[in-house]
Amino acid sequence: MVTEACKKNHITVNGQVAKPSKEVFPTDKITFRKDQITQTLTVLDVPPNRVGAKLVDLYRKDETPLEVFQHLELLKLSKEHYRKTGEGRPTKKDRRDLSDYATDNEEALED
């Protein structure tokens, strides 16, 4: 999964596009895009060997602003509110309701 992201230039280390074989060192900043948000991690230390998922946080620091995660939550809620997954295309009535709502909002903005 990470190899594919590197090949698509979605991961950068210290502002430079990273290849899958790129070595990282302490104080390196890793930036990647996941779930429509750009996350930033700082490498605190490199473990001597593989570690479990619970211990990974000892070696990295997440510097992604909280506002980004809040925006993602709002985005998910807005998608769920309008249309449930698997309901298909909007019906003719749904489209009319949307166009009526849009014209009402335009008129309110003009006043």
Side-chain angles (χ1 to χ4, degrees):
M1 182 165 75
V2 177
T3 304
E4 291 175 21
C6 286
K7 288 180 181 178
K8 294 179 182 178
N9 297 335
H10 289 240
I11 297 178
T12 61
V13 177
N14 295 329
Q16 296 180 345
V17 176
K19 291 187 177 181
S21 61
K22 171 78 172 159
E23 288 189 43
V24 293
F25 300 100
T27 70
D28 281 353
K29 290 199 182 287
I30 301 172
T31 306
F32 60 96
R33 189 152 173 85
K34 180 181 175 188
D35 296 332
Q36 297 182 347
I37 60 172
T38 302
Q39 297 184 12
T40 304
L41 301 175
T42 301
V43 178
L44 299 176
D45 195 14
V46 179
N49 50 10
R50 294 178 64 121
V51 295
K54 293 182 181 179
L55 300 175
V56 171
D57 288 333
L58 298 174
Y59 299 101
R60 69 178 173 122
K61 181 179 177 186
D62 190 359
E63 295 184 348
T64 308
L66 291 177
E67 297 85 30
V68 175
F69 292 110
Q70 292 170 351
H71 178 71
L72 182 64
E73 286 297 318
L74 287 174
L75 188 66
K76 286 181 182 178
L77 288 174
S78 67
K79 286 180 181 178
E80 289 175 4
H81 176 72
Y82 173 67
R83 192 157 209 67
K84 301 283 186 217
T85 305
E87 286 189 3
R89 292 177 50 187
T91 62
K92 194 172 194 177
K93 182 181 183 318
D94 290 338
R95 289 194 303 270
R96 287 180 181 157
D97 290 342
L98 281 172
S99 66
D100 290 344
Y101 178 76
T103 55
D104 289 345
N105 283 341
E106 287 177 6
E107 291 172 3
L109 289 175
E110 290 175 359
D111 292 337

